[in-house]
Amino acid sequence: MKDPLPSIDLLADADEVVARIRELSERDFREARAARLEGVQRVLEETGTDALVLSLGADLPWLTGYEAMPLERLTALVVARGATPVLLVPELEAPRVRPDDDLFSLRPWAEGSDPYELVAQLLGKAGSVAVSDRMWATALLEIQRRSPGAAFSAASSLLARLRGQKDAVELLLLARAAHITDIVAEEILSGALRLAGREEREVSADISARLVAHGLQRVNFAIVGSGPNSASPHHEPGARVISSGDPVVLDFGGVYGLGEEPGYCSDTTRTVVVEEIPDGFIELYHALHVAQAAARREASSTISGAALDAVARDAIEAAGFGQYFIHRTGHGIGLEEHEEPYVASGNKVALGPYAAFSIEPGIYIPGRFGARIEDICIAGEHHAVSINRSSRDMVIV
Ligand code: ZN
Ligand code: ZN
Ligand code: ZN
């Protein structure tokens, strides 16, 4: 690719994104990983951390393109400061690793041998070690036992900024994931995907099938909450038959990827009304619509997660629905469906350039109904772009 980072405005253009993805070669992925590793070495240097040990979780595929199976046998990428990383994998998993000599040296360990001894050797006299947040406790305890002098910390504290700042490859895959997901959102809004007279779980299965048919590798979730169930943010779609007068919250997403490359997540929510608008719902939806738009307008790389959360919250409070907005405004997204940076009152730091995050305020009146509008946005310096493009107007289906 010629330009190191695509303009964020380009990411909203589905055809442009498809064209750019078609140009991606294996080399682009390898170069992206090499740049990420440089960033990791820089952070180890800056923080005076001696080593990083990655195992289960998204940090490993982010850095190596390899995702470990959640097995009891140890997979560990040991990144010592200033040294070439070493990837320890069980011998039987080694064929799944795509070697990259520029990035890491691959060391399969044989069944019956002790991989923790190898980790201890690689850590040597390391005094500070950061480990994957998702590493199993059994593995961490073994590593700690053999490096009794070291102080251990969570890798997320080191990597959040790096992983939060998406590179060109990641932005394109995220945008493509969003655009595919939008196709299904539009099918719902146009009535092509029918809601009335069907069970929530039937509609959920329909959404999931369409997401895959349109090009996602897999579906992460397809929430369908109708009528009073729309007031439960993470409602599990059930046997309730959707009928006239129901608001319906539809929140769905999955993973888009190329070949063996790790895939990126999508996540969007639209709320529609079936045939007739129930009393009081227009006011609720209008307040939500205004709040979500305000947050999208104020989003940028320089605003903090807390300040952006406050934009949506203040608008909903001003409309009198404050007590019914019971969750944070959003979450980061990438290899994981929920990751840093969080658009939440606790996150006082700037979102950062090329952060990818959701803006998804909701209003939920228990026992009656609720609504949520969710878009994935990419932060630029002066504004953010929503890579979800389907209509946010109140649609009657
Ligand atoms: Zn959620
Ligand atoms: Zn969602
Ligand atoms: Zn979300």
Side-chain angles (χ1 to χ4, degrees), residues 58 67 134 163 166 174 177 218-223 234 251-256 263-268 328 330-342 356-360 374-376:
E67 187 170 0
R134 308 275 188 279
R163 275 195 43 205
K166 266 58 185 183
L174 278 165
R218 62 168 196 274
V219 176
N220 287 336
F221 53 89
I223 296 171
H234 278 172
D251 181 354
F252 46 95
V255 175
Y256 174 79
Y264 282 76
C265 294
S266 66
D267 185 2
T268 191
R328 65 190 175 210
H331 55 81
I333 188 167
L335 289 166
E336 296 176 278
E337 46 186 273
H338 289 180
E339 58 179 52
E340 306 244 23
Y342 290 96
F357 54 91
S358 69
I359 293 184
E360 52 175 309
E374 173 177 26
D375 294 303
I376 301 303

Side-chain angles (χ1 to χ4, degrees), residues 80-394:
R81 193 170 69 223
T84 301
V86 177
L87 180 58
L88 302 170
V89 294
E91 200 166 29
L92 76 166
E93 300 293 335
R96 295 201 308 117
V97 181
R98 288 170 297 151
D100 186 342
D101 296 337
D102 298 333
L103 213 59
F104 58 85
S105 67
L106 178 63
R107 210 171 296 171
W109 57 269
E111 197 92 326
S113 71
D114 181 359
Y116 293 100
E117 211 39 59
L118 296 171
V119 174
Q121 280 169 23
L122 291 165
L123 290 180
K125 295 200 169 13
S128 51
V129 180
V131 300
S132 290
D133 292 30
R134 308 275 188 279
M135 180 183 282
W136 283 6
T138 45
L140 176 58
L141 289 169
E142 277 298 328
I143 292 171
Q144 286 180 320
R145 197 163 64 78
R146 291 157 206 245
S147 297
F152 287 82
S153 62
S156 59
S157 61
L158 289 185
L159 303 183
R161 296 302 285 172
L162 285 174
R163 275 195 43 205
Q165 180 167 346
K166 266 58 185 183
D167 58 38
V169 169
E170 295 182 295
L171 291 171
L172 290 172
L173 298 180
L174 278 165
R176 183 73 188 129
H179 297 159
I180 289 171
T181 307
D182 282 347
I183 297 172
V184 179
E186 276 150 15
E187 289 173 347
I188 293 165
L189 297 171
S190 72
L193 193 163
R194 198 167 47 82
L195 302 182
R198 301 172 83 192
E199 291 180 1
E200 290 173 348
R201 58 189 177 195
E202 239 181 293
V203 172
S204 176
D206 194 353
I207 291 171
S208 299
R210 289 174 191 237
L211 288 171
V212 171
H214 289 301
L216 293 190
Q217 287 176 332
R218 62 168 196 274
V219 176
N220 287 336
F221 53 89
I223 296 171
V224 179
S226 66
N229 295 337
S230 60
S232 168
H234 278 172
H235 176 68
E236 181 70 36
R240 187 179 185 279
V241 175
I242 299 168
S243 55
S244 186
D246 283 347
V248 188
V249 172
L250 305 115
D251 181 354
F252 46 95
V255 175
Y256 174 79
L258 289 180
E260 291 176 82
E261 296 295 339
Y264 282 76
C265 294
S266 66
D267 185 2
T268 191
T269 308
R270 291 296 181 259
T271 301
V272 300
V273 173
V274 179
E275 289 160 13
E276 264 175 87
I277 306 168
D279 275 354
F281 190 76
I282 286 197
E283 293 78 1
L284 181 156
Y285 194 87
H286 180 68
L288 179 66
H289 190 255
V290 167
Q292 205 261 357
R296 275 189 290 113
R297 204 164 45 240
E298 295 300 317
S300 75
S301 63
T302 54
I303 193 169
S304 71
L308 189 54
D309 180 77
V311 171
R313 206 162 297 280
D314 290 352
I316 289 174
E317 267 165 23
F321 291 103
Q323 68 181 115
Y324 303 117
F325 179 17
I326 53 174
H327 55 68
R328 65 190 175 210
T329 295
H331 55 81
I333 188 167
L335 289 166
E336 296 176 278
E337 46 186 273
H338 289 180
E339 58 179 52
E340 306 244 23
Y342 290 96
V343 185
S345 59
N347 183 12
K348 311 287 189 210
V349 298
L351 294 171
Y354 303 105
F357 54 91
S358 69
I359 293 184
E360 52 175 309
I363 301 176
Y364 314 95
I365 304 181
R368 283 188 76 197
F369 43 56
R372 180 166 66 255
I373 303 172
E374 173 177 26
D375 294 303
I376 301 303
C377 297
I378 309 294
E381 207 180 337
H382 305 291
H383 70 300
V385 162
S386 172
I387 51 176
N388 290 113
R389 309 296 293 170
S390 69
S391 173
R392 304 167 190 96
D393 293 341
M394 205 184 77

